[in-house]
Amino acid sequence: MGRSQQPHGEVHVKSRPLAAVAVIIGGLAVLAVGLALSISVGAADIHLSTVWQALFHFQSSQNAQRVVVDIRLPRALGAAIVGASLAVAGAIMQGISRNPLADSGLLGLNAGAAVALAFCFAFFPKIPFIELIFFCFAGSGLSALLVFGFGSMAKGGLTPLKLTLAGAAVSALLTALSEGIALYFHLSQDLAFWMLGGVAGTNWTQLKVLFPFACAGILVALFLSKSISVLSLGESVAKGLGQRTLLVKIISLIAVLVLAGSSVSVVGSVVFIGLIIPHVARFLVGASYSWIIPCSAVLGSILLVYADTAARLVNPPYETPVGALIALIGAPFFLYLARGKKVGL
C-alpha cells in the first residue's frame, strides 16, 4: 500500500478525499432511492404517493399506510442499519488483522451469535430482545476467542491464512452445534430464518434497541480510523510511531462484536457484506480508514437494502433469502481473493 514517511514521525496514507466525498454524497442519494423502492415494492406494490402520505400524513385507518409504517419502513431501515454495521465490522477486521479475507461471518462471529440464539430459544424462549442482543455479544466474543486462540496455537503464530482457516473451522463447529440444539429442542423452524438470513419481520422494537448499538460501534470505528490506518501498515510500523497497538485492537474488536452481534440478532447469518464492501471502498477512495469506514457504512447500507428488495422480486409472492443472494456475489469474490491476489490493506 502506498505510504510515505513524514518528518515528524507520522505516516501519510494515500487516499482520495474528493472521491470519498463523492461516494458518500452519491451513495446517500442512491440509498434514499433504494429505501423508497424497498418501502413501495413487495407482495403488494404501494404507490410512492401512498408512501409519502404514510410518512408525513399518516392515517391509521388506511391499510396501505399501516403496511408502510408498521412493516415496510422498519424493514428498510433495518436493512440499512445492518448493512452499514456489517460493512464497518468487516473494514475494522481487515484493517487490524491485515487480512483481506477478514469478515465477521467468515471468522465465526456470526456463527457464535447463532449458537447464542439457539441457546436462548431452547432455554429462555421469552427472553426480551435487549437481553437477546447481549447473549449474541457473548456468543460472538466466545467465537472470537476460539478463532484467535486456535490460530495463535499454530506453528509460526497467527497469520492471515491461519486466521481464516481457524475461522472456517470454528464456524463449522458452532454451526453444527446450533443446528444440533435446534434439532434436539425442535427449534428448526424457529431458527430457519436466522440461519438463512433476512430482514423480514424487523420491527420498531428491534430497531430501537439495534440503532444505539450500531451508532456506538460505527462512532468508535470512526474515532479509531486513523489508528487503524496506521495499524494496517504493520505491527512494527505502528509501534515505531508510538501506537498502542494492543489497546487499539481490543477496542476495535469490542466494536466489531457490538456491530456483528447486534446485527445477527436481527437479520441472522448474512455473510460476505463485510468482505466485499471494504474492498470496494478501498478501491474507490484509497487506503485511509478515515474514508474507508464511512464509505463502507454507506455502501453496505446500499447493498443490503437493494438485495432485500431484489429478494422480494426474484420469486413473488415468495421471498428468496437475502443471505443467499449476497452469497451469489460474495462466494466468487472470496474465491478470487483466496487465489492469492495481493490486496493492499
Short mmCIF file of all heavy atoms in Angstrom, two decimals, residues 297-332:
data_model
loop_
_atom_site.label_atom_id
_atom_site.label_comp_id
_atom_site.label_asym_id
_atom_site.label_seq_id
_atom_site.Cartn_x
_atom_site.Cartn_y
_atom_site.Cartn_z
N ALA A 297 -19.80 2.15 5.38
CA ALA A 297 -21.13 2.22 6.01
C ALA A 297 -22.20 2.54 4.97
O ALA A 297 -23.26 1.90 4.94
CB ALA A 297 -21.12 3.27 7.12
N VAL A 298 -21.93 3.51 4.11
CA VAL A 298 -22.91 3.90 3.08
C VAL A 298 -23.10 2.78 2.06
O VAL A 298 -24.24 2.41 1.72
CB VAL A 298 -22.46 5.20 2.38
CG1 VAL A 298 -23.40 5.53 1.21
CG2 VAL A 298 -22.44 6.36 3.37
N LEU A 299 -22.00 2.22 1.57
CA LEU A 299 -22.09 1.18 0.55
C LEU A 299 -22.70 -0.11 1.10
O LEU A 299 -23.44 -0.80 0.40
CB LEU A 299 -20.69 0.90 -0.02
CG LEU A 299 -20.03 2.05 -0.78
CD1 LEU A 299 -18.61 1.69 -1.17
CD2 LEU A 299 -20.84 2.42 -2.02
N GLY A 300 -22.42 -0.41 2.37
CA GLY A 300 -23.03 -1.59 2.98
C GLY A 300 -24.54 -1.45 3.10
O GLY A 300 -25.29 -2.41 2.87
N SER A 301 -24.99 -0.26 3.47
CA SER A 301 -26.43 0.00 3.53
C SER A 301 -27.07 -0.19 2.16
O SER A 301 -28.13 -0.81 2.03
CB SER A 301 -26.68 1.42 4.04
OG SER A 301 -26.27 1.57 5.37
N ILE A 302 -26.42 0.36 1.14
CA ILE A 302 -26.96 0.24 -0.22
C ILE A 302 -27.07 -1.22 -0.62
O ILE A 302 -28.11 -1.66 -1.15
CB ILE A 302 -26.05 1.00 -1.22
CG1 ILE A 302 -26.14 2.51 -0.98
CG2 ILE A 302 -26.42 0.68 -2.66
CD1 ILE A 302 -25.15 3.31 -1.78
N LEU A 303 -26.02 -2.00 -0.38
CA LEU A 303 -26.03 -3.41 -0.80
C LEU A 303 -27.17 -4.18 -0.16
O LEU A 303 -27.92 -4.88 -0.84
CB LEU A 303 -24.69 -4.06 -0.45
CG LEU A 303 -24.60 -5.56 -0.73
CD1 LEU A 303 -24.85 -5.86 -2.21
CD2 LEU A 303 -23.23 -6.11 -0.29
N LEU A 304 -27.34 -4.05 1.16
CA LEU A 304 -28.37 -4.86 1.82
C LEU A 304 -29.78 -4.37 1.51
O LEU A 304 -30.70 -5.18 1.37
CB LEU A 304 -28.14 -4.88 3.33
CG LEU A 304 -28.97 -5.90 4.11
CD1 LEU A 304 -28.83 -7.30 3.52
CD2 LEU A 304 -28.58 -5.92 5.58
N VAL A 305 -29.97 -3.07 1.37
CA VAL A 305 -31.30 -2.54 1.03
C VAL A 305 -31.73 -3.03 -0.35
O VAL A 305 -32.86 -3.52 -0.54
CB VAL A 305 -31.32 -1.00 1.10
CG1 VAL A 305 -32.59 -0.45 0.45
CG2 VAL A 305 -31.23 -0.53 2.55
N TYR A 306 -30.84 -2.92 -1.33
CA TYR A 306 -31.18 -3.36 -2.69
C TYR A 306 -31.29 -4.88 -2.77
O TYR A 306 -32.13 -5.41 -3.51
CB TYR A 306 -30.17 -2.82 -3.70
CG TYR A 306 -30.43 -1.39 -4.11
CD1 TYR A 306 -29.86 -0.34 -3.43
CD2 TYR A 306 -31.26 -1.10 -5.19
CE1 TYR A 306 -30.10 0.98 -3.79
CE2 TYR A 306 -31.51 0.21 -5.57
CZ TYR A 306 -30.93 1.25 -4.86
OH TYR A 306 -31.18 2.57 -5.23
N ALA A 307 -30.43 -5.60 -2.03
CA ALA A 307 -30.52 -7.06 -2.03
C ALA A 307 -31.84 -7.53 -1.43
O ALA A 307 -32.47 -8.47 -1.92
CB ALA A 307 -29.34 -7.66 -1.26
N ASP A 308 -32.28 -6.85 -0.37
CA ASP A 308 -33.56 -7.22 0.26
C ASP A 308 -34.72 -6.94 -0.69
O ASP A 308 -35.67 -7.71 -0.76
CB ASP A 308 -33.74 -6.45 1.57
CG ASP A 308 -35.06 -6.77 2.24
OD1 ASP A 308 -35.33 -7.96 2.49
OD2 ASP A 308 -35.84 -5.83 2.50
N THR A 309 -34.64 -5.83 -1.42
CA THR A 309 -35.68 -5.53 -2.41
C THR A 309 -35.70 -6.58 -3.51
O THR A 309 -36.77 -7.06 -3.92
CB THR A 309 -35.46 -4.13 -3.01
OG1 THR A 309 -35.40 -3.16 -1.97
CG2 THR A 309 -36.58 -3.77 -3.97
N ALA A 310 -34.52 -6.96 -4.00
CA ALA A 310 -34.44 -7.97 -5.06
C ALA A 310 -34.95 -9.32 -4.57
O ALA A 310 -35.56 -10.07 -5.33
CB ALA A 310 -32.99 -8.10 -5.54
N ALA A 311 -34.73 -9.62 -3.27
CA ALA A 311 -35.18 -10.90 -2.72
C ALA A 311 -36.69 -11.05 -2.80
O ALA A 311 -37.21 -12.17 -2.87
CB ALA A 311 -34.71 -11.03 -1.27
N ARG A 312 -37.40 -9.92 -2.81
CA ARG A 312 -38.87 -9.98 -2.90
C ARG A 312 -39.35 -10.10 -4.33
O ARG A 312 -40.51 -10.40 -4.58
CB ARG A 312 -39.46 -8.73 -2.27
CG ARG A 312 -39.39 -8.69 -0.76
CD ARG A 312 -39.90 -7.39 -0.22
NE ARG A 312 -38.82 -6.49 0.16
CZ ARG A 312 -38.98 -5.21 0.46
NH1 ARG A 312 -40.16 -4.67 0.39
NH2 ARG A 312 -37.95 -4.49 0.81
N LEU A 313 -38.45 -9.84 -5.29
CA LEU A 313 -38.86 -9.80 -6.70
C LEU A 313 -38.43 -11.03 -7.49
O LEU A 313 -38.90 -11.25 -8.60
CB LEU A 313 -38.26 -8.55 -7.38
CG LEU A 313 -38.66 -7.20 -6.76
CD1 LEU A 313 -37.94 -6.06 -7.48
CD2 LEU A 313 -40.16 -7.00 -6.81
N VAL A 314 -37.51 -11.83 -6.93
CA VAL A 314 -37.00 -12.99 -7.66
C VAL A 314 -38.08 -14.03 -7.89
O VAL A 314 -38.23 -14.56 -9.00
CB VAL A 314 -35.81 -13.62 -6.88
CG1 VAL A 314 -35.41 -14.95 -7.51
CG2 VAL A 314 -34.63 -12.67 -6.87
N ASN A 315 -38.87 -14.34 -6.86
CA ASN A 315 -39.88 -15.39 -6.96
C ASN A 315 -41.15 -14.97 -6.21
O ASN A 315 -41.54 -15.61 -5.24
CB ASN A 315 -39.33 -16.70 -6.40
CG ASN A 315 -40.27 -17.86 -6.60
OD1 ASN A 315 -41.03 -17.90 -7.58
ND2 ASN A 315 -40.23 -18.83 -5.68
N PRO A 316 -41.80 -13.88 -6.68
CA PRO A 316 -43.00 -13.42 -5.96
C PRO A 316 -44.13 -14.45 -6.08
O PRO A 316 -44.20 -15.16 -7.08
CB PRO A 316 -43.35 -12.12 -6.69
CG PRO A 316 -42.76 -12.27 -8.06
CD PRO A 316 -41.52 -13.10 -7.87
N PRO A 317 -45.00 -14.55 -5.08
CA PRO A 317 -45.05 -13.76 -3.83
C PRO A 317 -44.13 -14.29 -2.73
O PRO A 317 -44.18 -13.78 -1.62
CB PRO A 317 -46.51 -13.89 -3.42
CG PRO A 317 -46.89 -15.26 -3.87
CD PRO A 317 -46.13 -15.49 -5.16
N TYR A 318 -43.31 -15.29 -3.05
CA TYR A 318 -42.40 -15.83 -2.04
C TYR A 318 -41.13 -15.00 -2.01
O TYR A 318 -40.77 -14.35 -2.98
CB TYR A 318 -42.07 -17.30 -2.34
CG TYR A 318 -43.30 -18.16 -2.48
CD1 TYR A 318 -43.76 -18.55 -3.74
CD2 TYR A 318 -44.02 -18.57 -1.36
CE1 TYR A 318 -44.89 -19.34 -3.88
CE2 TYR A 318 -45.16 -19.36 -1.49
CZ TYR A 318 -45.58 -19.73 -2.75
OH TYR A 318 -46.71 -20.50 -2.90
N GLU A 319 -40.43 -15.08 -0.88
CA GLU A 319 -39.20 -14.33 -0.72
C GLU A 319 -37.99 -15.25 -0.77
O GLU A 319 -37.98 -16.30 -0.14
CB GLU A 319 -39.20 -13.55 0.60
CG GLU A 319 -40.19 -12.41 0.63
CD GLU A 319 -39.91 -11.45 1.79
OE1 GLU A 319 -38.80 -11.50 2.34
OE2 GLU A 319 -40.81 -10.67 2.12
N THR A 320 -36.99 -14.83 -1.53
CA THR A 320 -35.72 -15.53 -1.55
C THR A 320 -34.87 -15.03 -0.39
O THR A 320 -34.82 -13.83 -0.15
CB THR A 320 -34.98 -15.27 -2.88
OG1 THR A 320 -35.82 -15.68 -3.97
CG2 THR A 320 -33.66 -16.02 -2.93
N PRO A 321 -34.21 -15.92 0.37
CA PRO A 321 -33.37 -15.46 1.47
C PRO A 321 -32.31 -14.47 0.98
O PRO A 321 -31.57 -14.76 0.04
CB PRO A 321 -32.72 -16.74 2.00
CG PRO A 321 -33.68 -17.82 1.61
CD PRO A 321 -34.26 -17.38 0.29
N VAL A 322 -32.26 -13.31 1.60
CA VAL A 322 -31.34 -12.27 1.15
C VAL A 322 -29.89 -12.71 1.34
O VAL A 322 -29.01 -12.33 0.55
CB VAL A 322 -31.61 -10.94 1.90
CG1 VAL A 322 -31.25 -11.06 3.38
CG2 VAL A 322 -30.87 -9.78 1.26
N GLY A 323 -29.64 -13.56 2.35
CA GLY A 323 -28.29 -14.07 2.54
C GLY A 323 -27.82 -14.89 1.35
O GLY A 323 -26.64 -14.87 0.99
N ALA A 324 -28.75 -15.61 0.70
CA ALA A 324 -28.40 -16.41 -0.46
C ALA A 324 -28.04 -15.53 -1.65
O ALA A 324 -27.10 -15.81 -2.40
CB ALA A 324 -29.56 -17.34 -0.83
N LEU A 325 -28.78 -14.43 -1.83
CA LEU A 325 -28.49 -13.52 -2.94
C LEU A 325 -27.11 -12.88 -2.77
O LEU A 325 -26.34 -12.77 -3.73
CB LEU A 325 -29.55 -12.42 -3.02
CG LEU A 325 -30.94 -12.83 -3.53
CD1 LEU A 325 -31.84 -11.60 -3.62
CD2 LEU A 325 -30.83 -13.48 -4.90
N ILE A 326 -26.79 -12.44 -1.57
CA ILE A 326 -25.49 -11.81 -1.33
C ILE A 326 -24.37 -12.84 -1.49
O ILE A 326 -23.28 -12.52 -1.98
CB ILE A 326 -25.46 -11.16 0.05
CG1 ILE A 326 -26.46 -10.00 0.09
CG2 ILE A 326 -24.06 -10.65 0.40
CD1 ILE A 326 -26.58 -9.33 1.44
N ALA A 327 -24.65 -14.09 -1.10
CA ALA A 327 -23.65 -15.14 -1.24
C ALA A 327 -23.31 -15.41 -2.71
O ALA A 327 -22.19 -15.81 -3.03
CB ALA A 327 -24.13 -16.43 -0.58
N LEU A 328 -24.28 -15.19 -3.62
CA LEU A 328 -24.01 -15.38 -5.04
C LEU A 328 -22.93 -14.42 -5.52
O LEU A 328 -22.19 -14.73 -6.46
CB LEU A 328 -25.30 -15.15 -5.85
CG LEU A 328 -26.38 -16.22 -5.72
CD1 LEU A 328 -27.63 -15.81 -6.50
CD2 LEU A 328 -25.86 -17.56 -6.22
N ILE A 329 -22.85 -13.25 -4.89
CA ILE A 329 -21.80 -12.29 -5.22
C ILE A 329 -20.56 -12.56 -4.38
O ILE A 329 -19.43 -12.53 -4.87
CB ILE A 329 -22.28 -10.84 -4.98
CG1 ILE A 329 -23.57 -10.58 -5.73
CG2 ILE A 329 -21.21 -9.84 -5.39
CD1 ILE A 329 -24.23 -9.26 -5.36
N GLY A 330 -20.78 -12.82 -3.10
CA GLY A 330 -19.67 -12.91 -2.17
C GLY A 330 -18.80 -14.14 -2.35
O GLY A 330 -17.58 -14.06 -2.20
N ALA A 331 -19.39 -15.28 -2.66
CA ALA A 331 -18.61 -16.51 -2.78
C ALA A 331 -17.57 -16.41 -3.90
O ALA A 331 -16.38 -16.73 -3.67
CB ALA A 331 -19.53 -17.71 -2.98
N PRO A 332 -17.94 -15.99 -5.12
CA PRO A 332 -16.91 -15.82 -6.15
C PRO A 332 -15.87 -14.77 -5.77
O PRO A 332 -14.68 -14.93 -6.07
CB PRO A 332 -17.71 -15.37 -7.38
CG PRO A 332 -19.09 -15.84 -7.13
CD PRO A 332 -19.29 -15.74 -5.66
#
